[in-house]
Amino acid sequence: MMVALIVLPVILTAAVTIAAMLYVASPLVRESELPRASSADGLARRLELVEERDRALAALKELEFDHRTGKVSDRDYREQVGPLRRRAAETLRALEPAAKPDRPAGSRRATPSRAKVRS
């Protein structure tokens, strides 16, 4: 009887601990939210795009820093920032999942204006 009073809480504690660990780890164990490549070529292409995105964003960050510290003139900054931004945007678009929009891009609804509140 005395052993059961000691063992039962230990078993319950172990069960609750294991359940909590499984619950916390479940997002890590589930399949990744990134789209699965249908082949090794698709995965390799995705990795290339991720690396290109990282390089483009790092180059933009470095250019911004060099401009702020005076290493790059305003003129040189303007010449370089456009192509870097385009490269980063193109890479980000290529990495986006191919989801169909709910409505055409040009048909955005205008948000209703708020009426002035009179006191």
Side-chain angles (χ1 to χ4, degrees):
M1 180 79 168
M2 191 64 136
V3 174
L5 291 175
I6 295 173
V7 174
L8 186 61
V10 171
I11 293 173
L12 287 175
T13 303
V16 169
T17 303
I18 291 171
M21 288 173 48
L22 290 174
Y23 178 74
V24 170
S26 65
L28 301 174
V29 176
R30 274 190 265 153
E31 291 186 29
S32 173
E33 293 182 13
L34 297 174
R36 295 184 71 99
S38 59
S39 67
D41 292 337
L43 181 59
R45 175 67 180 142
R46 181 151 182 83
L47 288 174
E48 288 174 14
L49 287 171
V50 168
E51 289 173 357
E52 176 64 25
R53 175 203 62 196
D54 292 346
R55 282 192 298 270
L57 293 176
L60 271 171
K61 186 176 181 180
E62 184 175 348
L63 180 64
E64 293 282 340
F65 179 77
D66 288 347
H67 180 249
R68 274 188 257 135
T69 57
K71 291 181 182 178
V72 174
S73 69
D74 289 339
R75 183 175 150 226
D76 290 339
Y77 173 79
R78 284 189 301 272
E79 288 175 3
Q80 295 175 19
V81 75
L84 284 174
R85 284 182 180 165
R86 277 190 292 282
R87 189 174 88 190
E90 289 169 1
T91 307
L92 288 170
R93 272 189 231 105
L95 283 169
E96 287 179 354
K100 295 180 182 176
D102 293 339
R103 56 191 150 112
S107 67
R108 292 188 177 184
R109 294 184 301 205
T111 56
S113 61
R114 295 185 179 176
K116 292 183 180 180
V117 178
R118 296 181 184 168
S119 50

